[in-house]
């Protein structure tokens, strides 16, 4: 009997986190209630192939945020747009992706994970084809915005498929270790792939390559995925969707504007203030809506909330590596784009290894509390170590060691945070919980990039004040800007260590195993 009483106790906790009493049972007819009597789906016999399909789709979405960066100079020369407009090739994708993620996640819960996943793949592929063949700057920007829109459907659907496919804790650890590694290293893979395609083919192939990824993932998705539409489908919270989508758009645009112009620009503060007000209004509305877009029980669970914060902070800090270390390698050490991409591969290998090891062996035994904060601290040490890089540094002796330390630390953060953020979530909340993970990483990356870029630019200008702008002085000012970005990234990770250390519960993770079926032996 004790075995069968645990789901009821868990439901009581969920009801309390949503604002009910400690022992209050949720109304049985409410579509947003967590039901402990719902029959779980048996594990798919093809679940490891499903992981391959989901991983391929996630890689396509993540790497597309950086793969175009290396191709920008070639695209600019080909299409003839100026430096001021160049930012929109990146910003258009980030704006659409970041602002529509929560809405896309709820659509996956409402319509069905398989349908939304396949729709996102087809739309992303078509937008990539339009962008690759773009005859003008305007068409390219529109295609990038469409890519972001369909990525906002695809990313949460992919993660919710993974969440509902792997229900056995031991297998879930392996699957989320691989997925977390993809989520954390996709940006570095994008840099490498972008360099290869730009140098040996053409910048347009940085977009065309998505067609290959999409076709493979689509064929696998059609054959392997279940419909994934819950019986107790949630209703769409239209006011909430509008508030959070417009609010996140304003936040991402405000920080992007600050990155490209200045913090004194009126547009920056108008959009940031409007975004803050709209997101706050969204939070207020979610406590009153009959069918909230983001049910309060999802983020108010301590472990889940701590995981969301971990994704936000690590997303902000990690971009200090992909952005400024790329600048350092190419501008200070004069690396080619391909050599720059290859320089990140050891970090990727370490991160993949640690992600799989952590979620497979450490997380089930220790829980996230000691793992994620320690990973934050190690990542911060790696960033601080990078501040010692100078014009005489070598890759084996100076660049590689802190990169390996950083990969080790991030491997302790991403996979456990993603796993914990989606563990035990109700089936009809899987899409929006998955979307929140992606939203936190995306918005954190946008904010981190803008802040670090502003701080770095200020540091370079301060160094040149009172000095002649000789080649040596300019080179040293660049080093000062990179070092400033690394120190602030280290500070982000230090903050993440303190916050996640305080919020995560001690002990083994609560995976709600009593509701999960035993593994099916093939």
């Amino acid at each position: 009997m004790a075995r069968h009483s645990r789901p009821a106790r868990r439901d009581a906790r969920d009801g309390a986190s949503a604002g009910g009493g400690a022992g209050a049972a949720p109304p049985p007819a409410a579509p947003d209630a967590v039901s402990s009597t719902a029959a779980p789906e048996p594990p798919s016999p093809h679940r490891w192939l499903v992981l391959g399909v989901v991983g391929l789709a996630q890689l396509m979405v993540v790497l597309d945020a950086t793969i175009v960066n290396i191709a920008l100079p070639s695209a600019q020369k080909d299409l003839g747009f100026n430096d001021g407009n160049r930012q929109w090739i990146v910003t258009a994708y980030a704006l659409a992706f970041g602002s529509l993620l929560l809405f896309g996640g709820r659509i996956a819960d409402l319509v069905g994970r398989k349908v939304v996943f396949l729709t996102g793949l087809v739309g992303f592929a078509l937008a990539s084809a339009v962008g690759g063949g773009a005859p003008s700057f305007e068409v390219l920007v529109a295609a990038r915005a469409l890519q972001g829109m369909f990525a906002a459907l695809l990313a949460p659907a992919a993660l919710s498929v993974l969440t509902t496919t792997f229900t056995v804790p031991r297998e879930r650890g392996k699957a989320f270790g691989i997925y977390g590694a993809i989520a954390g290293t996709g940006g570095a893979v994008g840099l490498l792939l972008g360099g290869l395609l730009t140098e040996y083919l053409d910048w347009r192939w940085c977009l065309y390559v998505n067609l290959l990824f999409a076709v493979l993932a689509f064929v696998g998705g059609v054959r392997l995925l279940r419909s994934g539409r819950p019986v107790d489908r949630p209703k769409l919270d239209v006011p909430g969707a509008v508030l959070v989508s417009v609010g996140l758009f304003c936040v991402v645009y405000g920080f992007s504007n600050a990155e490209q112009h200045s913090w004194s620009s009126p547009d920056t503060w108008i959009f940031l203030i409007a975004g803050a007000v709209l997101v706050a209004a969204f939070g207020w509305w979610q406590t009153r809506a009959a069918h909230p877009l983001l049910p309060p029980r999802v983020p108010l669970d301590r472990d889940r909330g701590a995981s969301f914060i971990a994704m936000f902070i690590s997303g902000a800090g990690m971009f200090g590596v992909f952005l400024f270390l790329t600048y350092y390698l190419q501008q200070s050490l004069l690396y080619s784009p391909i050599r720059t991409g290859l320089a990140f591969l050891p970090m990727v290998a370490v991160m993949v290894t640690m992600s799989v090891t952590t979620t497979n062996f450490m997380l089930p035994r220790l829980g996230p509390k000691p793992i994620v904060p320690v990973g934050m601290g190690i990542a911060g040490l790696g960033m601080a170590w990078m501040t010692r890089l100078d014009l005489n540094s070598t890759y084996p002796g100076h660049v590689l060691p802190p990169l390996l330390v950083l990969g080790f630390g991030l491997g302790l953060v991403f996979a456990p945070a993603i796993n914990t953020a989606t563990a035990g979530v109700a089936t009809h909340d899987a899409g929006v919980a998955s979307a929140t993970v992606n939203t936190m990483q995306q918005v954190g990356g946008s904010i981190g990039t803008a802040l670090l870029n502003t701080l770095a630019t200020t540091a370079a200008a301060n160094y040149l004040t009172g000095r002649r702008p000789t080649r040596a002085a300019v080179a040293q000012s660049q080093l000062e800007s990179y070092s400033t970005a690394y120190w602030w990234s280290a500070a982000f990770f230090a903050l993440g260590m303190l916050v996640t250390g305080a919020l995560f519960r001690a002990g083994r993770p609560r995976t709600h195993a009593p509701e999960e079926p035993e593994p099916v032996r093939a």
Side-chain angles (χ1 to χ4, degrees):
M1 294 297 292
R3 174 180 176 87
H4 297 287
S5 65
R6 281 180 286 180
R9 289 200 301 270
R10 193 216 65 227
D11 284 341
R13 285 194 299 267
D14 287 346
S17 67
D32 290 329
V34 180
S35 173
S36 61
T37 61
E41 295 181 358
S44 168
H46 306 296
R47 54 194 175 276
W48 295 108
L49 293 176
V50 171
L51 173 61
V53 171
V54 169
L56 188 62
Q58 178 65 14
L59 178 63
M60 181 177 68
V61 170
V62 175
L63 68 81
D64 221 72
T66 58
I67 191 173
V68 176
N69 290 7
I70 290 180
L72 277 178
S74 299
Q76 184 176 1
K77 182 179 179 181
D78 190 13
L79 299 181
F81 53 88
N82 58 40
D83 290 344
N85 287 331
R86 186 171 56 188
Q87 58 148 326
W88 287 106
I89 307 300
V90 177
T91 303
Y93 181 86
L95 285 173
F97 186 33
S99 61
L100 294 174
L101 269 166
L102 279 177
F103 178 69
R106 209 47 165 173
I107 290 295
D109 293 329
L110 180 65
V111 177
R113 294 181 293 274
K114 180 175 182 178
V115 171
V116 173
F117 180 84
L118 297 177
T119 301
L121 278 173
V122 172
F124 198 94
L126 291 176
S128 299
V130 171
S136 66
F137 167 76
E138 291 77 13
V139 173
L140 180 57
V141 170
R144 290 286 288 166
L146 283 174
Q147 278 187 310
M149 183 181 73
F150 284 107
L153 289 176
L154 180 58
L159 182 52
S160 62
V161 165
L162 196 67
T163 299
T164 54
T165 298
F166 288 90
T167 55
V168 179
R170 177 170 50 84
E171 293 183 346
R172 180 183 174 90
K174 295 178 182 178
F176 274 80
I178 296 171
Y179 183 90
I182 293 172
T185 61
V189 175
L191 293 173
L192 173 59
L193 188 57
L196 287 168
L197 294 174
T198 302
E199 187 159 334
Y200 289 111
L201 292 173
D202 183 78
W203 68 268
R204 297 180 183 275
W205 280 95
C206 292
L207 295 162
Y208 287 145
V209 71
N210 291 321
L211 299 177
L212 174 61
F213 291 142
V215 167
L216 293 175
F218 184 86
V219 172
V222 168
R223 296 177 61 87
L224 300 173
L225 300 187
R226 296 167 173 168
S227 63
R229 185 171 62 181
V231 176
D232 53 347
R233 290 186 296 165
K235 295 182 179 179
L236 183 61
D237 174 18
V238 176
V242 173
L243 285 171
V244 74
S245 297
V246 178
L248 290 175
F249 177 92
C250 291
V251 169
V252 174
Y253 181 85
F255 279 101
S256 298
N257 190 76
E259 179 188 357
Q260 297 298 326
H261 297 92
S262 71
W263 289 98
S264 61
S265 170
D267 286 348
T268 296
W269 289 105
I270 288 173
F271 277 96
L272 287 179
I273 292 172
V277 170
L278 290 170
V279 170
F282 168 75
W284 171 83
W285 172 251
Q286 295 309 282
T287 64
R288 289 158 175 79
H291 306 283
L293 182 71
L294 179 59
R297 63 177 171 269
V298 174
L300 291 183
D301 177 89
R302 275 184 60 182
D303 286 343
R304 193 170 291 125
S307 298
F308 292 153
I309 293 173
M311 294 300 296
F312 178 87
I313 294 177
S314 57
M318 185 180 65
F319 273 79
V321 182
F322 294 153
L323 180 63
F324 294 99
L325 189 58
T326 297
Y327 289 160
Y328 168 74
L329 292 175
Q330 292 194 22
Q331 297 180 2
S332 298
L333 299 188
L334 304 179
Y335 279 26
S336 67
I338 294 178
R339 192 178 178 189
T340 299
L342 291 172
F344 285 99
L345 287 187
M347 184 194 80
V348 172
V350 171
M351 188 173 173
V352 170
T353 301
M354 287 308 304
S355 294
V356 175
T357 302
T358 300
T359 53
N360 215 22
F361 299 105
M362 298 172 64
L363 186 64
R365 294 169 173 81
L366 302 176
K369 187 175 183 67
I371 299 173
V372 175
V374 168
M376 290 278 192
I378 293 174
L381 290 176
M383 295 304 308
W385 194 347
M386 287 184 185
T387 62
R388 301 177 62 87
L389 298 176
D390 57 32
L391 296 176
N392 297 316
S393 297
T394 63
Y395 179 78
H398 304 92
V399 178
L400 181 60
L403 266 181
L404 296 178
V405 171
L406 183 69
F408 188 96
L410 292 176
L412 296 177
V413 174
F414 276 107
I418 295 174
N419 192 338
T420 305
T422 55
V425 70
T427 300
H428 51 254
D429 288 337
V432 74
S434 303
T436 306
V437 172
N438 285 283
T439 299
M440 298 303 279
Q441 184 181 11
Q442 175 68 23
V443 175
S446 298
I447 292 174
T449 300
L451 289 175
L452 293 175
N453 190 65
T454 301
L455 293 165
T457 302
T458 302
N462 289 340
Y463 180 84
L464 289 174
T465 301
R467 291 183 171 89
R468 294 181 58 192
T470 62
R471 179 178 298 181
V474 171
Q476 187 60 39
S477 71
Q478 290 178 333
L479 292 179
E480 291 293 326
S481 71
Y482 306 151
S483 179
T484 299
Y486 300 149
W487 275 123
W488 278 97
S489 292
F492 291 161
F493 284 117
L495 175 64
M497 179 179 64
L498 296 176
V499 173
T500 56
L503 289 181
F504 275 120
R505 295 184 179 95
R508 298 172 63 183
R510 298 183 303 156
T511 56
H512 307 167
E515 289 188 16
E516 297 165 359
E518 294 298 320
V520 176
R521 304 298 179 188

